[in-house]
Amino acid sequence: MPRFSIVVPSHGVAGRLSQALDSVLAQSFGDFELIPVCDAPDAPAADVVAGYAERDSRVTPVHSPPSAGLAGARNTGLKAAVGGHVLFLDGDDVLVPGALAALDARLSAVGDVDVLYFEHERTPWWEGEPTNPAAPLLARTPKGAFSPGRAPQLTGVALPAWSAVYRRAFLTERDLAFPGDHFTDVGFGGLVALRAERVAALRAVVVRHLLRRQGNRLGLPGEHHAELLDQTELVLTRAAEQDLPADRLKPLFEQLFAAVLKTAAHPRRLTSERRAFFRRASALYRRHRPAGYRAPGGSVGVQHRLLASGSYAAFRTLRAAHRTASRAAALLPRPRGLRTRLRYAAALRLPLDRNLVVYCAYWGRGYACNPAAIHAKARLLAPQLRSVFLVEPEAVGSVPPGVEHAVIGSRKYWQVLARAKYLVNNANFADAVVKRPGSVHLQTQHGTPLKTMGADQATYPVVAAATGSFAKLLARVDRWDYNLTSNRHSTEMWERAFPSAHETLEYGYPRNDVYCTASADDVARVRKALGVPDGKRALLYAPTHRDYATGFETALDLAEFCEAIGDDYVVLLRAHYFYDQGSSRGGGRIIDVTGHRSSEDVCLAADALITDYSSIMFDYANLDRPIVAYADDWDVYRETRGVYFDLMELPPGRVARTPEELAAVFRDGSYADETATSLRAAFRERFCQFDDGRAAERVVRRVLLGEPPESIPPVIPLAERVPAPAATLVRS
């Protein structure tokens, strides 16, 4: 019996179905069966699925007629499932890399639960920031397995069916199936939560929901919205039959009627029969309202009271007034939520806090990169400054003790963004952030550009589609006052890619200071922390992201590579941070360091670097240790992503095109011979110009302390620098 049965309905998504199936079959955890549900053997999706079934025995397609709808397709897949747990994945969504391994680990940790809820990411089709609507619901859940009564907010109706994995025996023994057709997730989720006895939560994104340009089918106008009331009545009737406790009934009631009121108030969803919808909803409200229930405050509470009284005319008037207020609110700054907008607008009217510095790295992934290095130096040189690091909720644990932080999206987040004199980022702040007169925005970047960036991406369709609005991108660039570079090449390319009036600071990357300041003891400490065995040569393998590929994949079989080069080596695998899912891909002589917070530590530990086109090669070159470029798909990468120079003509060392060539340069030692050393020297002359160990000091003195350019410490010449020593290799 497989661990998981993954049911994937495919009606109307044949063009994107391969993306969903690939995301499943590419999972590192392979104990599953994949059940695509097609309309018929000759349907477009069936042709797609047939190829997968021929190549992989785990793919077992079934058929359900279109007339059965989404509910029928899922029920058909459920009947065919034989796995221990069932996961429902829409045919135009994807599992994130490492999803099944994370689910397996969590299920093993919490034991035999009926339902494991998890987070999901809603990704806009073109513009906008991804959201994680399940995170607030799961944030307050107990750590282990628990009874539903201990987390009454998990009613099941506020999460889609694909935001949980279900024990199959639980579903079959309780005779649970998807009811009706439209809004079936509401009914199914509610019934499951009512019958479950032990549940658990995984506070990590498992499914990436790809929003459609035309929006959710359920949001389209039509008579099908009446079925929302059917599902609401079904769930509340079952709750009454089992005499659900008041502390669980209240959130269930509120979440169901939040959806009902949203539909009733929407100007376009109900094209007709609006009064009939309201009247039926009113009757349901009065019939199932919990004893002693008090409506919430504010506008929502008014809607509750009008629904309870059946006052449709007053409700319609309130709806019109709300639309007018919404149009006025659109003129305010644009963080989500009217209350947040008003608070942010009010904070923007307060004076700037001239001693407040706000930092952010990699869109809030944690305390890292150039912002972290600047922050650390500022604590020494400018202790009078208050520093706040912005992080996502899941990254709070990565913030070192003593570092003040604010969770992105929180009230504190908007307050410090409104008041801070200095804002430091290696990516970009949200579009809603206002550039105030007198504030200083420092863009530190997070790599030297080999691939095209910014406005230069517009002529490459694959990349342009992922970039989004170039107008918005350039609007974010216009907020910059300073842009940091580590070499003259970057200076020129950033000016092309990000045309604006900001000042370029050729000060080097602060994160790279450690490559000139670390000692042999520091290197030994890092190697021990990463688990590098004594006496072994550590090869860092750091491939970059492929815009034309889904998920993390590499043509290099690391196990075979280790076998081919001999026992003297271990491999440190560091996938691109896009694929850091917190699960290990290592084993044996392969040490997965993808999730390690500091890429600088990983580089210090490595005796040599193997990479393809990742910008880590420019940083690692500061250590003057061997670099091998593994360029197995250079031509494809160059054509689809676009590059600023031909890496094959200016490589940082030896170049290998095949796994055999790569293994050979390590077996015969040519990866570190005179030719490799000469190539690296030329590469260092061009790309290691400003990284001398004092970049952070220069940035703090110029930007945060306002010292004049002529007083800033000059860059130490390359020939006079002493890089951190390697552990086992002698530098040529």
Side-chain angles (χ1 to χ4, degrees):
M1 179 176 68
R3 177 67 149 162
F4 298 107
S5 293
I6 304 168
V7 178
V8 185
S10 63
H11 178 71
V13 294
R16 297 171 68 175
L17 182 60
S18 292
Q19 198 171 359
L21 301 182
D22 287 341
S23 75
V24 177
L25 295 174
Q27 293 290 310
S28 58
F29 184 90
D31 187 14
F32 62 82
E33 62 171 350
L34 177 56
I35 308 176
V37 186
C38 305
D39 294 342
D42 57 349
D47 292 337
V48 175
V49 169
Y52 285 89
E54 290 178 2
R55 296 190 297 270
D56 198 313
S57 60
R58 295 173 296 179
V59 180
T60 56
V62 296
H63 302 100
S64 176
S67 58
L70 176 62
R74 286 175 172 170
N75 289 334
T76 298
L78 177 58
K79 291 178 182 177
V82 298
H85 292 80
V86 182
L87 187 151
F88 300 97
L89 181 70
D90 281 0
D92 51 357
D93 294 343
V94 297
L95 291 182
V96 301
L100 294 184
L103 289 175
D104 174 69
R106 184 61 174 155
L107 288 169
S108 298
V110 299
D112 195 23
V113 295
D114 297 326
V115 187
L116 174 64
Y117 295 101
F118 51 73
E119 297 176 8
H120 63 271
E121 183 178 85
R122 294 169 59 86
T123 304
W125 79 276
W126 181 246
E127 295 180 345
E129 298 293 329
T131 60
N132 185 345
L137 282 173
L138 302 184
R140 304 189 304 275
T141 55
K143 292 184 178 181
F146 54 91
S147 63
R150 294 182 60 196
Q153 77 276 11
L154 283 182
T155 65
V157 302
L159 293 175
W162 37 260
S163 198
V165 62
Y166 312 88
R167 186 167 60 88
R168 185 174 62 86
F170 160 70
L171 297 180
T172 56
E173 291 168 1
R174 303 297 194 280
D175 197 25
L176 291 168
F178 288 87
D181 186 7
H182 297 93
F183 302 98
T184 185
D185 283 12
V186 173
F188 180 76
L191 296 178
V192 164
L194 289 174
R195 301 300 302 275
E197 296 179 0
R198 294 182 79 248
V199 299
L202 171 62
R203 299 187 191 98
V205 172
V206 171
V207 171
R208 183 167 293 123
H209 176 57
L210 306 178
L211 298 174
R212 298 167 174 237
R213 183 186 179 196
Q214 62 272 35
N216 191 310
R217 297 187 186 97
L218 298 181
L220 298 176
E223 298 178 356
H224 62 277
H225 288 283
E227 295 186 40
L228 174 59
L229 299 180
D230 295 339
Q231 302 288 359
T232 299
E233 183 173 16
L234 170 64
V235 174
L236 289 175
T237 299
R238 294 287 178 84
E241 291 173 352
Q242 70 180 60
D243 196 20
L244 194 69
D247 61 337
R248 291 187 61 191
L249 181 58
K250 178 183 176 182
L252 175 64
F253 179 85
E254 286 189 338
Q255 290 179 22
L256 284 169
F257 277 97
V260 170
L261 285 169
K262 183 177 180 180
T263 296
H266 200 285
R268 292 181 296 275
R269 290 184 181 177
L270 295 169
T271 55
S272 62
E273 302 297 329
R274 292 176 182 170
R275 188 183 298 272
F277 182 94
F278 185 87
R279 287 177 175 172
R280 184 184 170 197
S282 178
L284 284 173
Y285 189 98
R286 292 192 297 271
R287 185 187 317 152
H288 293 284
R289 179 171 46 189
Y293 176 75
R294 297 184 62 181
S299 174
V300 174
V302 174
Q303 294 181 55
H304 273 255
R305 289 188 285 274
L306 293 177
L307 189 63
S309 64
S311 304
Y312 177 70
F315 183 83
R316 184 174 57 185
T317 302
L318 177 65
R319 183 182 63 194
H322 178 71
R323 288 202 299 271
T324 301
S326 297
R327 285 193 290 268
L331 302 176
L332 295 172
R334 297 294 301 280
R336 292 186 180 88
L338 179 59
R339 182 178 298 178
T340 302
R341 294 183 190 182
L342 293 172
R343 287 174 177 165
Y344 184 50
L348 287 171
R349 291 194 291 269
L350 298 174
L352 284 174
D353 185 341
R354 298 189 176 278
N355 287 322
L356 177 58
V357 190
V358 170
Y359 299 87
C360 190
Y362 298 116
W363 304 275
R365 290 182 64 247
Y367 186 83
C369 196
N370 292 319
I374 296 170
H375 172 274
K377 184 62 68 173
R379 297 178 78 177
L380 297 175
L381 300 181
Q384 73 277 13
L385 298 177
R386 175 194 174 196
S387 300
V388 180
F389 228 94
L390 307 181
V391 292
E392 289 287 355
E394 60 270 20
V396 169
S398 71
V399 180
V403 175
E404 184 179 357
H405 70 275
V407 175
I408 291 177
S410 67
R411 182 174 181 176
K412 179 179 179 181
Y413 165 83
W414 289 110
Q415 286 177 335
V416 296
L417 281 174
R419 300 290 311 281
K421 161 94 172 171
Y422 305 98
L423 294 97
V424 181
N425 206 329
N426 73 348
N428 261 311
F429 290 100
D431 290 340
V433 173
V434 174
K435 175 68 166 70
R436 297 186 62 179
S439 66
V440 177
H441 285 231
L442 169 64
Q443 168 60 250
T444 73
Q445 303 294 348
H446 53 271
T448 292
L450 167 60
K451 61 189 178 185
T452 55
M453 302 292 292
D456 289 338
Q457 298 173 346
T459 56
Y460 296 89
V462 172
V463 188
T467 301
S469 169
F470 285 93
K472 287 188 175 183
L473 169 66
L474 294 178
R476 295 191 291 268
V477 171
D478 286 340
R479 296 184 304 206
W480 302 353
D481 294 292
Y482 299 104
N483 184 38
L484 199 59
T485 75
S486 59
N487 47 63
R488 191 57 48 78
H489 163 79
S490 295
T491 300
E492 297 172 0
M493 296 307 106
W494 293 146
E495 289 177 357
R496 273 182 45 180
F498 304 118
S500 188
H502 56 264
E503 180 181 352
T504 297
L505 299 179
E506 294 184 328
Y507 287 174
Y509 281 163
R511 71 180 185 189
N512 291 344
D513 284 355
V514 68
Y515 298 143
C516 294
T517 61
S519 66
D521 288 341
D522 294 325
V523 173
R525 172 184 51 79
V526 171
R527 285 169 66 91
K528 182 177 180 180
L530 294 178
V532 179
D534 291 338
K536 296 291 186 181
R537 297 180 181 181
L539 306 179
L540 172 58
Y541 176 54
T544 192
H545 167 63
R546 301 294 196 277
D547 300 276
Y548 50 86
T550 301
F552 174 73
E553 58 183 30
T554 173
L556 180 62
D557 187 318
L558 291 179
E560 291 184 3
F561 173 69
C562 288
E563 186 68 25
I565 62 176
D567 294 335
D568 290 339
Y569 298 93
V570 295
V571 172
L572 304 176
L573 168 62
R574 189 170 181 84
H576 192 277
Y577 59 82
F578 284 178
Y579 310 122
D580 176 14
Q581 301 300 326
S583 56
S584 176
R585 306 175 183 86
R589 290 162 55 200
I590 304 168
I591 304 172
D592 188 353
V593 295
T594 302
H596 189 74
R597 180 178 62 83
S598 170
S599 62
E600 295 76 53
D601 280 357
V602 173
C603 287
L604 285 173
D607 300 298
L609 170 68
I610 304 169
T611 188
D612 41 23
Y613 326 119
S614 170
S615 64
I616 199 172
M617 72 177 78
F618 304 98
D619 304 317
Y620 191 85
N622 286 288
L623 290 168
D624 197 15
R625 302 177 191 174
I627 303 174
V628 177
Y630 180 53
D632 60 326
D633 60 346
W634 169 250
D635 293 333
V636 175
Y637 186 87
R638 179 177 56 186
E639 292 299 320
T640 57
R641 188 57 172 88
V643 295
Y644 285 123
F645 67 92
D646 191 341
L647 184 64
M648 300 302 99
E649 293 182 2
L650 298 168
R654 292 286 186 177
V655 176
R657 295 275 194 166
T658 66
E660 293 75 17
E661 291 180 3
L662 183 63
V665 300
F666 286 93
R667 281 200 307 268
D668 61 21
S670 59
Y671 76 102
D673 64 7
E674 291 184 4
T675 298
T677 302
S678 176
L679 291 170
R680 185 169 72 254
F683 191 85
R684 280 166 47 79
E685 284 287 339
R686 183 175 183 184
F687 297 112
C688 298
Q689 290 170 287
F690 311 136
D691 288 338
D692 65 347
R694 301 190 69 181
E697 179 185 354
R698 284 191 282 269
V699 171
V700 171
R701 293 190 181 282
R702 175 69 189 284
V703 178
L704 302 185
L705 295 178
E707 295 183 7
E710 57 271 17
S711 69
I712 304 302
V715 174
I716 300 171
L718 183 63
E720 297 177 17
R721 302 174 203 165
V722 180
T728 63
L729 295 182
V730 177
R731 188 178 298 107
S732 299

